[in-house]
Amino acid sequence: MTTGEREAAVEFKPARRIAGKGHAPDQFERTLRGVAVDASGHVYAVGDSAVKIFDAGGKLLRQWATRLPGESVAVDAEGRVWVGQQGQVEIHEAGGELIDTWRDAGRLALVTAIGFGRGFVFLADAGGRCIRRYDRKGAFLNNIGDQHRMGGFHIPNGVVDFAIDAAGVVHVPNPGLHRVERYAADGTLLGRFGRFDGRDPAGFPGCCNPTNLTLDGEGHVIVSEKAGPRVKIYDRDGQLVTVVAADVFDPGAKNMDIAVDSRGRIYVADTVRLEICVFEPSAREAA
């Protein structure tokens, strides 16, 4: 895309809703905190004290209990399932067997996001308001965001989220400052975009948005907001591409975790209705 050329917006339509609030095996009773999608298109959700795995159509495939309530979930390249919790991370085999638990007293207070990049593990610690980087054996390496002028990310919502692109750059929403920031793995600030605006959808409204973030395969930045809840897409330069949805979530939903699959479908956790809203991209018009 040349300088000054704007990317054509792709419209999205609601496709289905997965799980929901209730007592059935494929539902959640009290909480839905995190969502992830693996390379096969299976959808992983954590809430209550369980991991639940669905196919792309919303059918429950399997589930297992976690020792503590899950706050975040991620699937690594080997298919292992990582569940962030208060003070620790559980690591499970694909079938649910618990194979390891990471703890790091003084660094892991509440693990609200997990990511992998270039052989490293990144854990978002909402207690420390920063991201901790570890090697694959669990040795701590460095923090990201703790050198911020506010002592860490400004998170009135109580959640730190992030995503890592193919180049290893860490993208982090800093909601209290109404922007998205980019960091190198060693914690160096590389750039940022965003501004406060309560009317223009290109800006971030309210006291503290965006709350959550993910990246698609083309490098688009997909964010969720609260009050009112909506989902938007930005290009690599921080220009608004489209508003995915703004009127389909419970008005009280916040900290809506997001995932995207290889087909560009977006999965959003409605934290009040305890359901995953799936949005399908429309077909691009031929040039």
Side-chain angles (χ1 to χ4, degrees):
M1 188 168 61
T2 60
T3 301
E5 183 181 355
R6 294 297 299 274
E7 181 175 346
V10 176
E11 293 185 353
F12 285 77
K13 60 181 180 180
R16 67 191 63 86
R17 298 173 185 265
I18 298 173
K21 190 171 186 177
H23 304 289
D26 62 347
Q27 295 179 316
F28 293 93
E29 295 185 22
R30 299 175 302 279
T31 61
L32 171 61
R33 298 291 190 223
V35 60
V37 182
D38 69 13
S40 300
H42 294 155
V43 182
Y44 296 70
V46 290
D48 300 335
S49 291
V51 175
K52 301 193 179 190
I53 305 173
F54 304 85
D55 67 16
K59 177 184 177 182
L60 180 66
L61 300 176
R62 58 188 179 277
Q63 63 176 311
W64 62 80
T66 56
R67 295 184 178 181
L68 295 176
E71 299 290 334
S72 55
V73 63
V75 184
D76 65 20
E78 289 75 37
R80 292 172 296 197
V81 183
W82 298 58
V83 181
Q85 301 168 336
Q86 184 172 356
Q88 65 180 34
V89 177
E90 290 185 8
I91 306 171
H92 298 259
E93 292 284 11
E97 177 187 359
L98 180 65
I99 56 175
D100 201 0
T101 302
W102 283 15
R103 300 181 182 91
D104 189 358
R107 291 196 181 98
L108 296 182
L110 188 67
V111 182
T112 55
I114 302 169
F116 313 99
R118 303 201 167 190
F120 302 111
V121 178
F122 299 77
L123 303 177
D125 176 33
R129 297 188 293 125
C130 66
I131 298 167
R132 319 286 191 183
R133 182 169 68 116
Y134 296 83
D135 68 19
R136 291 305 292 258
K137 294 183 179 180
F140 172 74
L141 299 173
N142 63 273
N143 293 323
I144 298 171
D146 65 328
Q147 298 301 313
H148 204 280
R149 64 182 176 83
M150 302 193 72
F153 299 113
H154 189 20
I155 52 166
N157 306 303
V159 168
V160 175
D161 199 15
F162 69 93
I164 303 171
D165 67 20
V169 175
V170 184
H171 301 243
V172 191
N174 200 341
L177 298 182
H178 300 96
R179 66 195 190 198
V180 173
E181 299 174 351
R182 301 184 179 98
Y183 291 85
D186 65 2
T188 302
L189 178 64
L190 301 176
R192 63 194 183 203
F193 72 85
R195 57 182 170 81
F196 169 77
D197 197 309
R199 296 185 177 182
D200 183 353
F204 297 121
C207 74
C208 34
N209 276 308
T211 62
N212 294 73
L213 173 154
T214 194
L215 304 170
D216 69 12
E218 297 179 354
H220 296 113
V221 181
I222 308 171
V223 303
S224 67
E225 300 174 342
K226 67 163 194 175
R230 66 180 173 183
V231 174
K232 303 185 297 188
I233 300 178
Y234 292 83
D235 66 18
R236 293 183 182 92
D237 298 322
Q239 299 298 314
L240 179 68
V241 175
T242 191
V243 175
V244 174
D247 57 358
V248 299
F249 310 108
D250 187 280
K254 67 176 183 177
N255 297 337
M256 300 191 303
D257 199 23
I258 323 170
V260 61
D261 67 16
S262 61
R263 297 179 57 183
R265 292 178 293 206
I266 298 173
Y267 302 77
V268 185
D270 185 317
T271 53
V272 175
R273 295 173 180 162
L274 309 187
E275 63 187 14
I276 301 168
C277 302
V278 186
F279 301 93
E280 296 266 6
S282 60
R284 293 181 183 270
E285 292 185 2

Short mmCIF file of all heavy atoms in Angstrom, two decimals, residues 198-249:
data_model
loop_
_atom_site.label_atom_id
_atom_site.label_comp_id
_atom_site.label_asym_id
_atom_site.label_seq_id
_atom_site.Cartn_x
_atom_site.Cartn_y
_atom_site.Cartn_z
N GLY A 198 -14.31 10.78 21.78
CA GLY A 198 -15.57 10.15 22.14
C GLY A 198 -16.58 10.11 21.02
O GLY A 198 -17.66 9.53 21.19
N ARG A 199 -16.26 10.70 19.85
CA ARG A 199 -17.21 10.74 18.73
C ARG A 199 -16.68 10.04 17.49
O ARG A 199 -17.37 9.24 16.88
CB ARG A 199 -17.58 12.18 18.41
CG ARG A 199 -18.32 12.90 19.53
CD ARG A 199 -18.77 14.28 19.12
NE ARG A 199 -19.54 14.95 20.17
CZ ARG A 199 -20.08 16.15 20.06
NH1 ARG A 199 -19.94 16.82 18.91
NH2 ARG A 199 -20.75 16.68 21.07
N ASP A 200 -15.47 10.37 17.11
CA ASP A 200 -14.87 9.75 15.92
C ASP A 200 -14.49 8.31 16.25
O ASP A 200 -13.69 8.08 17.17
CB ASP A 200 -13.64 10.55 15.52
CG ASP A 200 -12.98 10.03 14.25
OD1 ASP A 200 -13.40 8.96 13.75
OD2 ASP A 200 -12.04 10.69 13.77
N PRO A 201 -15.01 7.30 15.54
CA PRO A 201 -14.68 5.91 15.84
C PRO A 201 -13.21 5.58 15.67
O PRO A 201 -12.74 4.55 16.19
CB PRO A 201 -15.55 5.10 14.88
CG PRO A 201 -15.93 6.06 13.80
CD PRO A 201 -15.99 7.40 14.44
N ALA A 202 -12.45 6.43 14.96
CA ALA A 202 -11.02 6.20 14.83
C ALA A 202 -10.29 6.40 16.14
O ALA A 202 -9.19 5.88 16.35
CB ALA A 202 -10.42 7.10 13.76
N GLY A 203 -10.88 7.19 17.06
CA GLY A 203 -10.29 7.43 18.36
C GLY A 203 -10.78 6.44 19.40
O GLY A 203 -11.64 5.59 19.12
N PHE A 204 -10.25 6.56 20.61
CA PHE A 204 -10.64 5.68 21.71
C PHE A 204 -11.39 6.51 22.75
O PHE A 204 -10.86 7.50 23.26
CB PHE A 204 -9.42 5.02 22.33
CG PHE A 204 -8.67 4.12 21.38
CD1 PHE A 204 -7.35 4.36 21.07
CD2 PHE A 204 -9.31 3.05 20.79
CE1 PHE A 204 -6.66 3.53 20.19
CE2 PHE A 204 -8.64 2.21 19.90
CZ PHE A 204 -7.31 2.45 19.60
N PRO A 205 -12.62 6.12 23.08
CA PRO A 205 -13.46 6.92 23.97
C PRO A 205 -13.31 6.54 25.44
O PRO A 205 -12.62 5.59 25.79
CB PRO A 205 -14.86 6.58 23.46
CG PRO A 205 -14.75 5.13 23.08
CD PRO A 205 -13.36 4.99 22.50
N GLY A 206 -14.03 7.26 26.27
CA GLY A 206 -14.16 6.90 27.68
C GLY A 206 -12.90 7.14 28.49
O GLY A 206 -11.94 7.76 28.05
N CYS A 207 -12.92 6.58 29.68
CA CYS A 207 -11.78 6.76 30.58
C CYS A 207 -10.60 5.91 30.17
O CYS A 207 -9.45 6.25 30.48
CB CYS A 207 -12.17 6.40 32.01
SG CYS A 207 -12.34 4.60 32.30
N CYS A 208 -10.85 4.79 29.45
CA CYS A 208 -9.77 3.80 29.35
C CYS A 208 -10.09 2.76 28.28
O CYS A 208 -10.69 1.73 28.58
CB CYS A 208 -9.56 3.13 30.70
SG CYS A 208 -11.08 2.92 31.67
N ASN A 209 -9.68 3.07 27.08
CA ASN A 209 -9.83 2.16 25.94
C ASN A 209 -8.60 2.30 25.04
O ASN A 209 -7.96 3.35 25.04
CB ASN A 209 -11.09 2.52 25.13
CG ASN A 209 -12.35 1.90 25.72
OD1 ASN A 209 -12.41 0.70 25.96
ND2 ASN A 209 -13.36 2.73 25.94
N PRO A 210 -8.26 1.25 24.24
CA PRO A 210 -8.90 -0.06 24.15
C PRO A 210 -8.48 -0.98 25.30
O PRO A 210 -7.44 -0.76 25.92
CB PRO A 210 -8.38 -0.61 22.82
CG PRO A 210 -7.00 -0.02 22.72
CD PRO A 210 -7.12 1.36 23.30
N THR A 211 -9.28 -2.00 25.56
CA THR A 211 -8.98 -2.90 26.67
C THR A 211 -8.22 -4.15 26.25
O THR A 211 -7.35 -4.62 26.97
CB THR A 211 -10.27 -3.33 27.38
OG1 THR A 211 -11.10 -4.06 26.47
CG2 THR A 211 -11.04 -2.12 27.90
N ASN A 212 -8.55 -4.69 25.07
CA ASN A 212 -7.94 -5.95 24.61
C ASN A 212 -7.53 -5.84 23.16
O ASN A 212 -8.02 -4.97 22.43
CB ASN A 212 -8.91 -7.12 24.79
CG ASN A 212 -9.20 -7.41 26.25
OD1 ASN A 212 -9.92 -6.65 26.90
ND2 ASN A 212 -8.65 -8.48 26.76
N LEU A 213 -6.67 -6.77 22.73
CA LEU A 213 -6.07 -6.64 21.41
C LEU A 213 -5.61 -7.99 20.89
O LEU A 213 -5.19 -8.87 21.65
CB LEU A 213 -4.88 -5.68 21.53
CG LEU A 213 -3.93 -5.43 20.37
CD1 LEU A 213 -3.30 -4.04 20.52
CD2 LEU A 213 -2.83 -6.48 20.30
N THR A 214 -5.69 -8.17 19.57
CA THR A 214 -5.05 -9.29 18.90
C THR A 214 -4.60 -8.82 17.52
O THR A 214 -4.88 -7.69 17.11
CB THR A 214 -5.99 -10.50 18.80
OG1 THR A 214 -5.23 -11.66 18.44
CG2 THR A 214 -7.09 -10.30 17.77
N LEU A 215 -3.88 -9.68 16.79
CA LEU A 215 -3.39 -9.39 15.45
C LEU A 215 -3.83 -10.49 14.50
O LEU A 215 -3.82 -11.67 14.86
CB LEU A 215 -1.85 -9.31 15.44
CG LEU A 215 -1.18 -8.33 16.40
CD1 LEU A 215 0.31 -8.56 16.42
CD2 LEU A 215 -1.50 -6.89 15.99
N ASP A 216 -4.18 -10.11 13.27
CA ASP A 216 -4.49 -11.15 12.30
C ASP A 216 -3.26 -11.44 11.45
O ASP A 216 -2.18 -10.87 11.65
CB ASP A 216 -5.71 -10.77 11.44
CG ASP A 216 -5.45 -9.62 10.48
OD1 ASP A 216 -4.29 -9.21 10.29
OD2 ASP A 216 -6.43 -9.12 9.89
N GLY A 217 -3.40 -12.36 10.50
CA GLY A 217 -2.26 -12.79 9.70
C GLY A 217 -1.70 -11.73 8.79
O GLY A 217 -0.56 -11.87 8.30
N GLU A 218 -2.44 -10.66 8.55
CA GLU A 218 -1.98 -9.57 7.70
C GLU A 218 -1.40 -8.41 8.51
O GLU A 218 -1.04 -7.38 7.94
CB GLU A 218 -3.13 -9.07 6.81
CG GLU A 218 -3.65 -10.15 5.86
CD GLU A 218 -4.79 -9.65 5.00
OE1 GLU A 218 -5.25 -8.51 5.23
OE2 GLU A 218 -5.21 -10.38 4.10
N GLY A 219 -1.34 -8.58 9.81
CA GLY A 219 -0.78 -7.52 10.65
C GLY A 219 -1.77 -6.48 11.11
O GLY A 219 -1.38 -5.49 11.72
N HIS A 220 -3.06 -6.67 10.82
CA HIS A 220 -4.06 -5.75 11.33
C HIS A 220 -4.16 -5.86 12.85
O HIS A 220 -4.04 -6.95 13.41
CB HIS A 220 -5.44 -6.04 10.73
CG HIS A 220 -5.50 -5.82 9.26
ND1 HIS A 220 -5.69 -6.85 8.38
CD2 HIS A 220 -5.42 -4.70 8.52
CE1 HIS A 220 -5.72 -6.37 7.14
NE2 HIS A 220 -5.55 -5.07 7.20
N VAL A 221 -4.41 -4.73 13.49
CA VAL A 221 -4.57 -4.67 14.94
C VAL A 221 -6.07 -4.65 15.24
O VAL A 221 -6.78 -3.73 14.82
CB VAL A 221 -3.89 -3.42 15.52
CG1 VAL A 221 -4.06 -3.38 17.03
CG2 VAL A 221 -2.41 -3.39 15.14
N ILE A 222 -6.54 -5.66 15.92
CA ILE A 222 -7.96 -5.79 16.25
C ILE A 222 -8.12 -5.52 17.74
O ILE A 222 -7.48 -6.17 18.57
CB ILE A 222 -8.49 -7.19 15.90
CG1 ILE A 222 -8.14 -7.54 14.45
CG2 ILE A 222 -10.00 -7.27 16.14
CD1 ILE A 222 -8.44 -8.99 14.09
N VAL A 223 -8.96 -4.55 18.09
CA VAL A 223 -9.12 -4.15 19.49
C VAL A 223 -10.57 -4.26 19.92
O VAL A 223 -11.50 -4.18 19.11
CB VAL A 223 -8.63 -2.71 19.72
CG1 VAL A 223 -7.18 -2.55 19.29
CG2 VAL A 223 -9.51 -1.69 19.00
N SER A 224 -10.75 -4.42 21.22
CA SER A 224 -12.09 -4.30 21.81
C SER A 224 -12.11 -3.15 22.79
O SER A 224 -11.08 -2.77 23.37
CB SER A 224 -12.50 -5.61 22.50
OG SER A 224 -11.71 -5.88 23.64
N GLU A 225 -13.30 -2.58 22.97
CA GLU A 225 -13.50 -1.45 23.87
C GLU A 225 -14.66 -1.75 24.80
O GLU A 225 -15.42 -2.70 24.60
CB GLU A 225 -13.81 -0.19 23.06
CG GLU A 225 -12.73 0.24 22.10
CD GLU A 225 -13.14 1.40 21.22
OE1 GLU A 225 -14.37 1.67 21.10
OE2 GLU A 225 -12.25 2.03 20.65
N LYS A 226 -14.81 -0.89 25.79
CA LYS A 226 -15.94 -0.99 26.72
C LYS A 226 -16.71 0.33 26.72
O LYS A 226 -16.22 1.35 26.24
CB LYS A 226 -15.44 -1.30 28.13
CG LYS A 226 -14.64 -0.15 28.74
CD LYS A 226 -14.50 -0.30 30.25
CE LYS A 226 -14.02 1.01 30.85
NZ LYS A 226 -13.96 0.98 32.31
N ALA A 227 -17.93 0.30 27.25
CA ALA A 227 -18.73 1.50 27.57
C ALA A 227 -18.85 2.49 26.42
O ALA A 227 -18.41 3.62 26.53
CB ALA A 227 -18.16 2.17 28.81
N GLY A 228 -19.52 2.15 25.31
CA GLY A 228 -20.10 0.86 25.04
C GLY A 228 -19.12 -0.09 24.35
O GLY A 228 -18.19 0.33 23.66
N PRO A 229 -19.40 -1.36 24.50
CA PRO A 229 -18.50 -2.38 23.95
C PRO A 229 -18.57 -2.43 22.42
O PRO A 229 -19.64 -2.42 21.83
CB PRO A 229 -19.02 -3.67 24.57
CG PRO A 229 -20.44 -3.40 24.91
CD PRO A 229 -20.51 -1.95 25.26
N ARG A 230 -17.39 -2.45 21.79
CA ARG A 230 -17.32 -2.60 20.35
C ARG A 230 -15.96 -3.18 19.98
O ARG A 230 -15.03 -3.20 20.78
CB ARG A 230 -17.57 -1.29 19.62
CG ARG A 230 -16.53 -0.21 19.83
CD ARG A 230 -16.87 1.06 19.06
NE ARG A 230 -15.95 2.14 19.40
CZ ARG A 230 -16.04 3.37 18.93
NH1 ARG A 230 -17.03 3.69 18.09
NH2 ARG A 230 -15.17 4.31 19.28
N VAL A 231 -15.85 -3.60 18.71
CA VAL A 231 -14.62 -4.18 18.18
C VAL A 231 -14.26 -3.44 16.90
O VAL A 231 -15.13 -3.20 16.05
CB VAL A 231 -14.78 -5.69 17.91
CG1 VAL A 231 -13.55 -6.26 17.22
CG2 VAL A 231 -15.06 -6.42 19.22
N LYS A 232 -12.97 -3.06 16.75
CA LYS A 232 -12.51 -2.30 15.60
C LYS A 232 -11.21 -2.91 15.07
O LYS A 232 -10.51 -3.62 15.78
CB LYS A 232 -12.27 -0.84 15.98
CG LYS A 232 -13.47 -0.14 16.57
CD LYS A 232 -13.21 1.35 16.81
CE LYS A 232 -12.13 1.59 17.82
NZ LYS A 232 -12.00 3.03 18.20
N ILE A 233 -10.90 -2.57 13.81
CA ILE A 233 -9.66 -3.01 13.18
C ILE A 233 -8.88 -1.80 12.69
O ILE A 233 -9.45 -0.90 12.07
CB ILE A 233 -9.94 -3.95 11.99
CG1 ILE A 233 -10.70 -5.20 12.45
CG2 ILE A 233 -8.63 -4.38 11.32
CD1 ILE A 233 -11.05 -6.14 11.33
N TYR A 234 -7.57 -1.81 12.96
CA TYR A 234 -6.65 -0.79 12.48
C TYR A 234 -5.59 -1.43 11.58
O TYR A 234 -5.26 -2.62 11.75
CB TYR A 234 -5.95 -0.09 13.65
CG TYR A 234 -6.87 0.76 14.50
CD1 TYR A 234 -7.65 0.18 15.50
CD2 TYR A 234 -6.98 2.13 14.29
CE1 TYR A 234 -8.50 0.95 16.28
CE2 TYR A 234 -7.83 2.91 15.07
CZ TYR A 234 -8.59 2.32 16.05
OH TYR A 234 -9.43 3.08 16.81
N ASP A 235 -5.04 -0.64 10.66
CA ASP A 235 -3.95 -1.16 9.85
C ASP A 235 -2.63 -1.01 10.59
O ASP A 235 -2.57 -0.52 11.73
CB ASP A 235 -3.92 -0.51 8.47
CG ASP A 235 -3.59 0.99 8.49
OD1 ASP A 235 -3.05 1.48 9.52
OD2 ASP A 235 -3.87 1.67 7.49
N ARG A 236 -1.53 -1.40 9.94
CA ARG A 236 -0.22 -1.36 10.60
C ARG A 236 0.20 0.06 10.98
O ARG A 236 1.00 0.26 11.90
CB ARG A 236 0.85 -1.95 9.67
CG ARG A 236 0.69 -3.45 9.41
CD ARG A 236 1.84 -3.93 8.54
NE ARG A 236 1.74 -5.33 8.21
CZ ARG A 236 1.15 -5.80 7.12
NH1 ARG A 236 0.58 -4.95 6.26
NH2 ARG A 236 1.11 -7.09 6.88
N ASP A 237 -0.34 1.05 10.27
CA ASP A 237 0.01 2.44 10.54
C ASP A 237 -0.89 3.09 11.59
O ASP A 237 -0.75 4.27 11.89
CB ASP A 237 -0.07 3.26 9.25
CG ASP A 237 0.93 2.77 8.20
OD1 ASP A 237 2.05 2.39 8.59
OD2 ASP A 237 0.57 2.74 7.00
N GLY A 238 -1.83 2.31 12.12
CA GLY A 238 -2.73 2.86 13.12
C GLY A 238 -3.92 3.59 12.57
O GLY A 238 -4.62 4.31 13.30
N GLN A 239 -4.22 3.39 11.28
CA GLN A 239 -5.40 4.00 10.67
C GLN A 239 -6.59 3.05 10.80
O GLN A 239 -6.46 1.84 10.56
CB GLN A 239 -5.14 4.30 9.20
CG GLN A 239 -4.00 5.28 8.96
CD GLN A 239 -4.27 6.65 9.56
OE1 GLN A 239 -5.36 7.20 9.40
NE2 GLN A 239 -3.28 7.19 10.26
N LEU A 240 -7.73 3.60 11.17
CA LEU A 240 -8.93 2.77 11.31
C LEU A 240 -9.32 2.16 9.97
O LEU A 240 -9.45 2.87 8.96
CB LEU A 240 -10.09 3.60 11.85
CG LEU A 240 -11.41 2.84 12.04
CD1 LEU A 240 -11.28 1.80 13.15
CD2 LEU A 240 -12.54 3.82 12.35
N VAL A 241 -9.53 0.84 9.95
CA VAL A 241 -9.99 0.14 8.76
C VAL A 241 -11.49 -0.04 8.79
O VAL A 241 -12.21 0.28 7.85
CB VAL A 241 -9.29 -1.22 8.62
CG1 VAL A 241 -9.86 -2.01 7.44
CG2 VAL A 241 -7.78 -1.04 8.46
N THR A 242 -12.01 -0.54 9.91
CA THR A 242 -13.45 -0.77 10.01
C THR A 242 -13.86 -0.99 11.45
O THR A 242 -13.04 -1.36 12.30
CB THR A 242 -13.88 -1.98 9.15
OG1 THR A 242 -15.31 -2.02 9.05
CG2 THR A 242 -13.41 -3.29 9.77
N VAL A 243 -15.13 -0.75 11.72
CA VAL A 243 -15.76 -1.15 12.98
C VAL A 243 -16.42 -2.50 12.73
O VAL A 243 -17.32 -2.60 11.89
CB VAL A 243 -16.79 -0.12 13.46
CG1 VAL A 243 -17.50 -0.63 14.72
CG2 VAL A 243 -16.12 1.23 13.73
N VAL A 244 -15.96 -3.51 13.41
CA VAL A 244 -16.49 -4.86 13.22
C VAL A 244 -17.90 -4.98 13.79
O VAL A 244 -18.82 -5.48 13.14
CB VAL A 244 -15.57 -5.91 13.86
CG1 VAL A 244 -16.18 -7.31 13.79
CG2 VAL A 244 -14.20 -5.88 13.19
N ALA A 245 -18.07 -4.54 15.02
CA ALA A 245 -19.36 -4.67 15.69
C ALA A 245 -19.43 -3.68 16.85
O ALA A 245 -18.43 -3.43 17.53
CB ALA A 245 -19.57 -6.08 16.20
N ALA A 246 -20.63 -3.14 17.08
CA ALA A 246 -20.81 -2.19 18.17
C ALA A 246 -22.13 -2.35 18.89
O ALA A 246 -22.37 -1.68 19.89
CB ALA A 246 -20.69 -0.76 17.64
N ASP A 247 -22.99 -3.23 18.44
CA ASP A 247 -24.32 -3.30 19.01
C ASP A 247 -24.78 -4.73 19.28
O ASP A 247 -25.98 -4.99 19.40
CB ASP A 247 -25.33 -2.61 18.09
CG ASP A 247 -25.34 -3.19 16.68
OD1 ASP A 247 -24.54 -4.11 16.41
OD2 ASP A 247 -26.16 -2.74 15.86
N VAL A 248 -23.85 -5.65 19.40
CA VAL A 248 -24.24 -7.06 19.56
C VAL A 248 -23.84 -7.61 20.92
O VAL A 248 -24.22 -8.74 21.27
CB VAL A 248 -23.63 -7.94 18.46
CG1 VAL A 248 -24.12 -7.50 17.09
CG2 VAL A 248 -22.11 -7.91 18.51
N PHE A 249 -23.11 -6.83 21.71
CA PHE A 249 -22.64 -7.31 23.01
C PHE A 249 -23.53 -6.77 24.13
O PHE A 249 -24.25 -5.79 23.95
CB PHE A 249 -21.20 -6.86 23.25
CG PHE A 249 -20.27 -7.15 22.12
CD1 PHE A 249 -19.80 -6.13 21.30
CD2 PHE A 249 -19.87 -8.46 21.85
CE1 PHE A 249 -18.94 -6.40 20.25
CE2 PHE A 249 -19.01 -8.73 20.79
CZ PHE A 249 -18.55 -7.71 19.99
#
